Amino acid sequence: MKLTTRGRYAVTAMLDLAINAGNRPVSLADISVRQEISLSYLEQLFAKLRRGQLVTSARGPGGGYRLARCGTEIFVAQIIDAVDESVDVTNCQGKGNCYHGETCLTHHLWEDLSGQIHEFLSQISLGDLMDRQRRKVTQGGAETVLQTLSIR
Amino acid sequence: MKLTTRGRYAVTAMLDLAINAGNRPVSLADISVRQEISLSYLEQLFAKLRRGQLVTSARGPGGGYRLARCGTEIFVAQIIDAVDESVDVTNCQGKGNCYHGETCLTHHLWEDLSGQIHEFLSQISLGDLMDRQRRKVTQGGAETVLQTLSIR
DNA sequence: CCTATTCTTGACTAAAATAGTCAGGAATAC
DNA sequence: GTATTCCTGACTATTTTAGTCAAGAATAGG
């Protein structure tokens, strides 16, 4: 699990898609204008999102993208996974013999840590983000969000 | 909050420092050998860790680095903050007028999300990681860890 | 059928971040 | 004094990120 600006772009674009969903699909050109992300870059991102089965596409005039399922069933972790292909975390290539013949620190440590973060982001759906956006929570910050999550 | 390999290196090095802590400080040369991180790169990282007041240094023969305080009082979030200087997440430069004169999606969304992750990593100390390392938890994975954390 | 729209793909490029190198200097234990 | 270790800054190679460009395929609507 990596957290980069690319992941941010993808989550933002997906949230835009969720918010502006209606009868018609949403074109990348629209998202590009609203979110100020270059069209070609969006094309790359959505190619991956489509391969990850998070969106469906429709070609031709009036075409565009739709969420592949309800926003409450699409999670931030899935979006980031689709767009940031996984890194090889180990420098022992999974042999586990790098620390005096034993398994090294790095291997388990970061694997687990990124596992935890993954777990964490797997609990936040586009639906959750839309709710918060709608409510415009300005007071509280992280704490309130953590509350919200533990209530779910 | 970003999560990159640099942060991983830093956390690993700090954990090595915590584990090998004794009467004498630990030299970067030792960490370099054990963790297979280039010495010069470690020097860069520890310059930042020292500025972040996470470690103290001692020059000369037998010198090296120590944790600035007990491992249970040093948290993963602090380490990552020290080495990965903060990014400007907003593309509206904090004016909040990028989405038709209103505040944009991106701004609040990712700021809050990374706030949550920050909050999360602020609960994991080097002490926690050492405990887990010592116990060599092989069964369970992320779930057991989350349990462990909620028990704290 | 024609045309504009939109997705789809691949190759390419520029800029930034990451990881690492190198060299010189300062402090200090022995 | 001298070897060790931190400390600093400048430099470089590699990788990733973000963006460009161009050509093509599908299709809605006239």
Side-chain angles (χ1 to χ4, degrees):
Chain A
M1 167 78 29
K2 267 195 311 184
L3 278 186
T4 65
T5 49
R6 176 154 76 225
R8 195 178 81 221
Y9 279 135
V11 173
T12 303
M14 287 289 282
L15 187 57
D16 182 287
L17 194 54
I19 288 174
N20 296 100
N23 297 334
R24 330 224 51 176
V26 179
S27 78
L28 292 189
D30 289 353
I31 299 180
S32 172
V33 170
R34 278 194 296 261
Q35 304 304 331
E36 294 180 349
I37 306 171
S38 99
L39 178 59
S40 305
Y41 196 47
L42 279 176
E43 283 169 348
Q44 288 179 37
L45 294 180
F46 273 80
K48 296 184 178 186
L49 293 171
R50 196 167 61 88
R51 276 182 230 125
Q53 303 193 312
L54 297 177
V55 296
T56 57
S57 61
R59 287 179 168 184
Y65 288 91
R66 291 177 217 268
L67 297 183
R69 49 188 181 277
C70 178
T72 57
E73 289 165 28
I74 296 181
F75 299 93
V76 174
Q78 295 174 325
I79 298 171
I80 293 177
D81 282 342
V83 149
D84 272 329
E85 38 260 6
S86 64
V87 211
D88 181 29
V89 186
T90 76
N91 52 10
C92 46
Q93 280 84 37
K95 293 171 192 160
N97 61 345
C98 28
Y99 189 64
H100 298 145
E102 302 176 18
T103 82
C104 59
L105 285 186
T106 322
H107 188 77
H108 291 299
L109 165 62
W110 203 256
E111 208 169 52
D112 287 1
L113 207 51
S114 71
Q116 290 177 43
I117 294 160
H118 195 274
E119 184 81 6
F120 178 69
L121 292 180
S122 294
Q123 298 173 355
I124 306 177
S125 72
L126 284 183
D128 294 330
L129 295 179
M130 282 176 69
D131 289 347
R132 298 207 11 258
Q133 189 65 21
R134 212 174 289 131
R135 278 194 253 112
K136 296 253 180 189
V137 206
T138 44
Q139 81 290 29
E143 290 77 19
T144 46
V145 178
L146 286 168
Q147 276 185 358
T148 312
L149 284 170
S150 57
I151 291 172
R152 286 182 68 245
Chain B
M1 166 83 22
K2 266 196 308 185
L3 278 186
T4 66
T5 48
R6 175 155 75 224
R8 194 177 84 224
Y9 280 136
V11 174
T12 304
M14 286 290 282
L15 188 57
D16 182 286
L17 193 56
I19 288 173
N20 296 99
N23 297 335
R24 329 223 53 176
V26 180
S27 77
L28 291 190
D30 289 353
I31 300 180
S32 173
V33 170
R34 279 196 295 263
Q35 305 303 332
E36 294 179 348
I37 305 172
S38 100
L39 179 58
S40 305
Y41 197 47
L42 278 176
E43 283 171 346
Q44 288 179 37
L45 293 180
F46 273 80
K48 295 184 178 187
L49 293 172
R50 197 167 60 89
R51 276 181 231 126
Q53 303 192 311
L54 297 176
V55 296
T56 58
S57 62
R59 286 179 168 182
Y65 287 92
R66 293 177 214 268
L67 296 184
R69 49 187 182 276
C70 178
T72 56
E73 290 165 28
I74 296 180
F75 298 93
V76 174
Q78 295 173 326
I79 299 171
I80 293 178
D81 282 343
V83 296
D84 272 332
E85 38 260 5
S86 64
V87 211
D88 180 29
V89 187
T90 75
N91 52 12
C92 44
Q93 280 84 37
K95 294 172 194 161
N97 59 346
C98 28
Y99 189 64
H100 298 145
E102 301 175 20
T103 82
C104 60
L105 284 185
T106 323
H107 189 77
H108 291 300
L109 166 62
W110 204 257
E111 207 170 53
D112 287 0
L113 207 52
S114 72
Q116 289 177 45
I117 295 160
H118 195 274
E119 184 81 6
F120 178 69
L121 292 179
S122 294
Q123 297 172 354
I124 307 176
S125 72
L126 283 182
D128 294 331
L129 295 178
M130 284 176 70
D131 289 346
R132 298 204 12 253
Q133 189 65 21
R134 213 174 288 131
R135 281 193 250 112
K136 293 252 182 194
V137 205
T138 44
Q139 80 291 28
E143 290 76 17
T144 46
V145 178
L146 286 170
Q147 275 183 359
T148 311
L149 284 172
S150 57
I151 289 170
R152 285 184 65 247

